[in-house]
Amino acid sequence: MPLRLATWNINSVRLRIGLVAKLVDEHAPDVLCLQETKCADDHFPLNDIRKLGYAHVAIHGQKGYHGVATFSRFPFVTTAKERWADKDDARHLATTFAAGPLEGVTLHNFYVPAGGDEPDPTINPKFAHKLQFVRELHQWSERIAETDARIMVGDLNIAPDPSDVWSHKQLLRVVSHTPVETEGLDAMRLAGRWVDAVRAHVPHPEKLYSWWSYRAADWEASDRGRRLDHVWASEDVAARSTGVEILKAARGWDRPSDHVPVIVTFG
DNA sequence: ATGGTCGCTAAGCGA
Protein backbone atom coordinates (compact mmCIF):
# COMPACT_ATOMS: atom_id res chain seq x y z
CA MET A 1 0.00 0.00 0.00
CA PRO A 2 1.70 3.22 -1.10
CA LEU A 3 1.86 6.32 1.06
CA ARG A 4 1.09 9.81 -0.18
CA LEU A 5 2.99 12.67 1.45
CA ALA A 6 1.95 16.27 0.83
CA THR A 7 3.68 19.53 1.74
CA TRP A 8 1.91 22.89 1.42
CA ASN A 9 2.55 26.46 2.50
CA ILE A 10 -1.05 27.25 3.41
CA ASN A 11 -0.59 30.94 4.34
CA SER A 12 -3.00 30.88 7.31
CA VAL A 13 -4.54 27.55 8.26
CA ARG A 14 -7.60 29.13 9.87
CA LEU A 15 -8.48 31.14 6.78
CA ARG A 16 -7.95 28.18 4.48
CA ILE A 17 -9.07 25.15 6.50
CA GLY A 18 -11.70 24.63 3.77
CA LEU A 19 -8.96 24.33 1.17
CA VAL A 20 -7.15 21.81 3.36
CA ALA A 21 -10.38 19.77 3.33
CA LYS A 22 -10.56 20.13 -0.45
CA LEU A 23 -6.98 18.88 -0.81
CA VAL A 24 -7.72 15.89 1.40
CA ASP A 25 -10.99 15.14 -0.41
CA GLU A 26 -9.41 15.29 -3.86
CA HIS A 27 -5.91 13.96 -3.26
CA ALA A 28 -6.07 11.94 -0.05
CA PRO A 29 -2.58 12.48 1.35
CA ASP A 30 -1.73 10.05 4.16
CA VAL A 31 0.71 12.55 5.60
CA LEU A 32 0.26 16.31 5.33
CA CYS A 33 2.86 18.93 6.24
CA LEU A 34 1.80 22.58 6.39
CA GLN A 35 3.87 25.73 6.67
CA GLU A 36 2.95 29.33 7.44
CA THR A 37 0.01 28.29 9.57
CA LYS A 38 0.11 31.74 11.27
CA CYS A 39 -1.69 30.39 14.28
CA ALA A 40 -0.85 29.89 17.96
CA ASP A 41 -1.15 26.26 19.04
CA ASP A 42 -4.19 26.87 21.26
CA HIS A 43 -6.11 28.31 18.29
CA PHE A 44 -5.23 25.61 15.79
CA PRO A 45 -8.32 23.99 14.16
CA LEU A 46 -7.32 20.49 15.28
CA ASN A 47 -10.89 19.20 15.41
CA ASP A 48 -11.23 19.86 11.68
CA ILE A 49 -7.92 18.13 11.07
CA ARG A 50 -8.99 15.06 13.04
CA LYS A 51 -12.31 14.96 11.17
CA LEU A 52 -10.33 14.80 7.94
CA GLY A 53 -8.89 11.52 9.16
CA TYR A 54 -5.60 12.53 10.75
CA ALA A 55 -5.49 10.93 14.16
CA HIS A 56 -1.85 11.88 14.64
CA VAL A 57 -0.96 15.57 14.78
CA ALA A 58 2.00 17.73 15.68
CA ILE A 59 1.81 21.51 15.65
CA HIS A 60 4.40 24.17 16.28
CA GLY A 61 2.96 27.61 15.86
CA GLN A 62 3.12 31.19 17.01
CA LYS A 63 0.73 34.09 16.83
CA GLY A 64 0.47 35.73 13.42
CA TYR A 65 3.66 34.50 11.80
CA HIS A 66 5.38 31.35 10.55
CA GLY A 67 4.25 28.02 12.04
CA VAL A 68 4.52 24.40 10.88
CA ALA A 69 2.23 21.42 11.37
CA THR A 70 2.40 17.71 10.50
CA PHE A 71 -0.62 15.38 10.29
CA SER A 72 -0.68 11.67 9.60
CA ARG A 73 -2.95 8.66 9.31
CA PHE A 74 -0.07 6.64 10.73
CA PRO A 75 1.28 7.07 14.25
CA PHE A 76 4.40 9.08 14.93
CA VAL A 77 6.25 10.58 17.83
CA THR A 78 7.34 14.20 17.82
CA THR A 79 11.11 14.21 18.04
CA ALA A 80 12.19 17.85 17.68
CA LYS A 81 11.14 21.47 17.48
CA GLU A 82 14.56 22.92 17.01
CA ARG A 83 15.71 26.50 17.40
CA TRP A 84 17.38 27.89 14.27
CA ALA A 85 19.44 30.96 13.44
CA ASP A 86 19.24 32.45 16.95
CA LYS A 87 15.48 33.04 16.86
CA ASP A 88 12.50 31.39 18.50
CA ASP A 89 10.50 31.36 15.23
CA ALA A 90 8.29 28.28 14.73
CA ARG A 91 9.97 26.97 11.60
CA HIS A 92 10.81 23.32 12.24
CA LEU A 93 9.03 20.18 13.36
CA ALA A 94 10.46 16.66 13.34
CA THR A 95 8.35 13.53 13.69
CA THR A 96 9.32 9.87 13.50
CA PHE A 97 6.84 7.27 12.24
CA ALA A 98 6.07 4.52 14.73
CA ALA A 99 4.13 2.34 12.27
CA GLY A 100 2.98 2.21 8.66
CA PRO A 101 4.92 2.20 5.40
CA LEU A 102 7.43 4.77 6.69
CA GLU A 103 7.94 3.21 10.12
CA GLY A 104 11.27 4.37 11.51
CA VAL A 105 11.58 7.28 9.07
CA THR A 106 12.05 10.77 10.54
CA LEU A 107 10.16 13.54 8.72
CA HIS A 108 11.46 17.11 9.02
CA ASN A 109 9.00 19.88 8.19
CA PHE A 110 10.69 23.27 7.55
CA TYR A 111 9.69 26.82 6.85
CA VAL A 112 12.85 28.68 5.83
CA PRO A 113 12.76 32.50 6.17
CA ALA A 114 11.80 34.36 2.99
CA GLY A 115 14.64 36.84 3.41
CA GLY A 116 13.07 40.18 2.49
CA ASP A 117 13.58 42.02 -0.77
CA GLU A 118 17.18 43.29 -0.79
CA PRO A 119 19.69 40.51 -1.55
CA ASP A 120 22.49 42.07 0.48
CA PRO A 121 23.06 40.69 3.99
CA THR A 122 25.02 43.78 5.04
CA ILE A 123 21.99 46.05 4.66
CA ASN A 124 19.11 43.55 4.96
CA PRO A 125 18.96 41.70 8.30
CA LYS A 126 16.21 39.41 6.99
CA PHE A 127 18.48 38.20 4.18
CA ALA A 128 21.37 37.76 6.64
CA HIS A 129 19.03 35.68 8.81
CA LYS A 130 18.01 33.53 5.86
CA LEU A 131 21.64 32.87 4.93
CA GLN A 132 22.43 31.96 8.54
CA PHE A 133 19.47 29.56 8.53
CA VAL A 134 20.78 27.88 5.36
CA ARG A 135 24.28 27.62 6.83
CA GLU A 136 22.83 25.91 9.90
CA LEU A 137 20.84 23.56 7.68
CA HIS A 138 24.13 22.71 5.95
CA GLN A 139 25.86 21.96 9.26
CA TRP A 140 22.90 19.92 10.46
CA SER A 141 22.85 18.00 7.15
CA GLU A 142 26.55 17.19 7.56
CA ARG A 143 25.88 15.78 11.01
CA ILE A 144 23.16 13.41 9.79
CA ALA A 145 24.67 12.60 6.37
CA GLU A 146 25.47 9.01 7.29
CA THR A 147 22.04 8.23 8.71
CA ASP A 148 19.26 6.62 6.68
CA ALA A 149 15.49 6.87 6.95
CA ARG A 150 14.94 10.63 6.70
CA ILE A 151 12.75 12.98 4.73
CA MET A 152 12.74 16.75 4.76
CA VAL A 153 9.93 18.78 3.26
CA GLY A 154 8.77 22.32 3.28
CA ASP A 155 8.93 25.83 1.99
CA LEU A 156 12.68 26.34 1.63
CA ASN A 157 12.07 29.72 -0.04
CA ILE A 158 14.83 28.98 -2.56
CA ALA A 159 14.36 27.91 -6.18
CA PRO A 160 17.70 26.17 -6.73
CA ASP A 161 17.98 25.59 -10.46
CA PRO A 162 17.39 27.61 -13.63
CA SER A 163 14.48 25.31 -14.47
CA ASP A 164 12.93 26.08 -11.08
CA VAL A 165 12.20 29.68 -12.08
CA TRP A 166 10.43 31.35 -15.00
CA SER A 167 13.56 33.34 -15.87
CA HIS A 168 16.96 32.44 -14.48
CA LYS A 169 18.53 35.64 -15.82
CA GLN A 170 15.83 37.96 -14.51
CA LEU A 171 15.85 36.39 -11.06
CA LEU A 172 19.61 36.23 -10.43
CA ARG A 173 19.35 39.30 -8.21
CA VAL A 174 15.95 38.44 -6.78
CA VAL A 175 15.86 36.89 -3.30
CA SER A 176 15.04 33.15 -3.64
CA HIS A 177 17.28 32.61 -6.68
CA THR A 178 20.50 34.53 -5.97
CA PRO A 179 23.74 32.55 -6.34
CA VAL A 180 24.52 32.70 -2.62
CA GLU A 181 21.17 31.03 -1.92
CA THR A 182 21.13 28.47 -4.72
CA GLU A 183 24.76 27.50 -4.09
CA GLY A 184 24.05 27.33 -0.37
CA LEU A 185 21.12 24.99 -0.93
CA ASP A 186 23.13 22.82 -3.34
CA ALA A 187 25.97 22.58 -0.82
CA MET A 188 23.53 21.61 1.90
CA ARG A 189 21.92 18.94 -0.27
CA LEU A 190 25.30 17.42 -1.11
CA ALA A 191 26.55 17.64 2.49
CA GLY A 192 23.49 15.74 3.70
CA ARG A 193 23.46 13.25 0.83
CA TRP A 194 19.89 14.39 0.23
CA VAL A 195 18.05 13.32 -2.91
CA ASP A 196 15.54 15.75 -4.44
CA ALA A 197 12.57 13.39 -4.64
CA VAL A 198 10.64 15.73 -6.95
CA ARG A 199 13.37 16.16 -9.54
CA ALA A 200 13.99 12.41 -9.41
CA HIS A 201 10.68 12.13 -11.29
CA VAL A 202 10.66 15.37 -13.28
CA PRO A 203 14.27 15.99 -14.31
CA HIS A 204 15.77 19.29 -15.43
CA PRO A 205 15.35 21.20 -17.67
CA GLU A 206 11.58 20.79 -17.44
CA LYS A 207 10.15 23.88 -15.76
CA LEU A 208 8.55 23.19 -12.42
CA TYR A 209 6.99 25.74 -10.05
CA SER A 210 5.18 25.54 -6.71
CA TRP A 211 4.58 29.27 -6.09
CA TRP A 212 3.10 32.13 -8.09
CA SER A 213 3.01 35.69 -6.70
CA TYR A 214 -0.24 37.26 -5.56
CA ARG A 215 0.89 40.43 -7.30
CA ALA A 216 0.56 39.16 -10.84
CA ALA A 217 -2.50 40.49 -12.62
CA ASP A 218 -3.03 37.01 -14.09
CA TRP A 219 -0.78 34.40 -12.45
CA GLU A 220 -1.71 31.71 -14.94
CA ALA A 221 -1.23 33.79 -18.09
CA SER A 222 2.10 35.25 -16.98
CA ASP A 223 3.18 31.95 -15.33
CA ARG A 224 6.06 33.63 -13.55
CA GLY A 225 6.49 30.88 -11.00
CA ARG A 226 9.24 29.57 -8.78
CA ARG A 227 9.80 26.14 -7.18
CA LEU A 228 10.18 27.06 -3.52
CA ASP A 229 8.60 23.95 -1.97
CA HIS A 230 10.63 20.77 -1.77
CA VAL A 231 10.65 17.12 -0.79
CA TRP A 232 14.09 15.64 -0.13
CA ALA A 233 14.99 12.25 1.28
CA SER A 234 17.94 10.12 2.20
CA GLU A 235 18.88 7.79 -0.63
CA ASP A 236 17.19 4.71 0.85
CA VAL A 237 13.85 6.49 1.22
CA ALA A 238 14.15 8.38 -2.08
CA ALA A 239 14.61 5.05 -3.83
CA ARG A 240 11.11 4.15 -2.64
CA SER A 241 9.46 7.25 -4.13
CA THR A 242 7.29 6.27 -7.07
CA GLY A 243 5.86 9.55 -8.29
CA VAL A 244 5.25 13.25 -7.74
CA GLU A 245 2.43 15.72 -8.34
CA ILE A 246 2.59 19.49 -8.06
CA LEU A 247 -1.02 20.64 -7.79
CA LYS A 248 -0.88 23.73 -9.95
CA ALA A 249 -4.68 23.79 -10.08
CA ALA A 250 -4.73 24.68 -6.38
CA ARG A 251 -3.35 28.12 -7.25
CA GLY A 252 -6.68 28.73 -9.01
CA TRP A 253 -8.87 27.67 -6.08
CA ASP A 254 -11.07 30.25 -4.36
CA ARG A 255 -8.96 32.56 -2.14
CA PRO A 256 -5.86 30.44 -2.73
CA SER A 257 -2.51 30.26 -1.03
CA ASP A 258 0.27 31.61 -3.23
CA HIS A 259 1.91 28.16 -2.87
CA VAL A 260 0.45 24.87 -4.14
CA PRO A 261 0.72 21.40 -2.58
CA VAL A 262 3.54 19.09 -3.62
CA ILE A 263 2.74 15.38 -3.26
CA VAL A 264 5.25 12.55 -3.36
CA THR A 265 4.16 8.91 -3.30
CA PHE A 266 6.27 6.27 -1.57
CA GLY A 267 5.86 2.58 -2.36
C1' DA B 1 8.31 50.99 -14.72
C1' DT B 2 10.45 50.15 -9.36
C1' DG B 3 4.63 48.74 -8.93
C1' DG B 4 1.56 45.03 -8.05
C1' DT B 5 -1.56 41.62 -3.60
C1' DC B 6 -2.16 39.05 0.23
C1' DG B 7 -2.85 37.93 5.81
C1' DC B 8 -2.10 39.27 10.26
C1' DT B 9 -4.11 42.51 13.35
C1' DA B 10 -5.49 46.88 13.70
C1' DA B 11 -0.89 50.89 10.77
C1' DG B 12 2.56 48.63 9.41
C1' DC B 13 5.10 44.37 8.77
C1' DG B 14 6.22 40.23 6.58
C1' DA B 15 5.78 37.55 2.44
Side-chain angles (χ1 to χ4, degrees), chain A residues 200-214:
Chain A
H201 297 286
V202 188
H204 306 289
E206 183 171 332
K207 293 283 193 182
L208 215 45
Y209 315 136
S210 65
W211 174 89
W212 291 261
S213 173
Y214 282 129

Side-chain angles (χ1 to χ4, degrees), chain A residues 41-251:
Chain A
D41 290 351
D42 55 355
H43 288 100
F44 203 101
L46 277 181
N47 286 337
D48 298 279
I49 295 299
R50 291 200 176 92
K51 277 184 204 156
L52 291 172
Y54 301 104
H56 310 280
V57 302
I59 56 176
H60 184 202
Q62 63 186 86
K63 184 179 178 180
Y65 300 99
H66 322 314
V68 288
T70 298
F71 317 124
S72 172
R73 304 195 194 282
F74 301 102
F76 59 62
V77 292
T78 300
T79 40
K81 297 178 182 180
E82 287 183 33
R83 178 184 160 86
W84 296 85
D86 300 323
K87 286 182 189 277
D88 290 318
D89 294 353
R91 295 183 180 275
H92 173 236
L93 190 52
T95 50
T96 302
F97 291 100
L102 293 180
E103 181 174 359
V105 174
T106 297
L107 170 63
H108 296 275
N109 180 357
F110 279 104
Y111 176 47
V112 172
D117 288 331
E118 178 56 57
D120 180 348
T122 66
I123 60 173
N124 174 9
K126 290 199 282 286
F127 194 61
H129 176 235
K130 181 180 196 175
L131 296 183
Q132 181 183 347
F133 202 108
V134 173
R135 281 195 300 273
E136 291 187 10
L137 283 171
H138 184 153
Q139 293 159 359
W140 167 76
S141 292
E142 268 183 343
R143 292 199 296 274
I144 62 174
E146 301 307 318
T147 62
D148 286 334
R150 50 195 164 90
I151 298 173
M152 68 165 284
V153 306
D155 177 5
L156 304 186
N157 263 315
I158 297 173
D161 284 275
S163 44
D164 295 327
V165 292
W166 66 276
S167 169
H168 172 60
K169 189 171 179 211
Q170 288 180 257
L171 287 170
L172 273 172
R173 280 169 292 281
V174 174
V175 170
S176 73
H177 193 63
T178 64
V180 65
E181 293 169 273
T182 59
E183 288 165 14
L185 200 67
D186 285 345
M188 170 207 169
R189 182 172 45 75
L190 294 170
R193 304 169 65 95
W194 294 107
V195 176
D196 182 332
V198 174
R199 281 301 186 183
H201 297 286
V202 188
H204 306 289
E206 183 171 332
K207 293 283 193 182
L208 215 45
Y209 315 136
S210 65
W211 174 89
W212 291 261
S213 173
Y214 282 129
R215 296 179 187 175
D218 184 334
W219 71 274
E220 195 166 23
S222 58
D223 198 25
R224 294 184 170 188
R226 307 177 200 170
R227 190 171 70 106
L228 305 178
D229 302 275
H230 300 272
V231 178
W232 291 1
S234 53
E235 200 168 46
D236 57 323
V237 178
R240 294 174 53 193
S241 79
T242 53
V244 60
E245 292 172 87
I246 297 190
L247 304 183
K248 183 176 181 179
R251 185 62 179 77

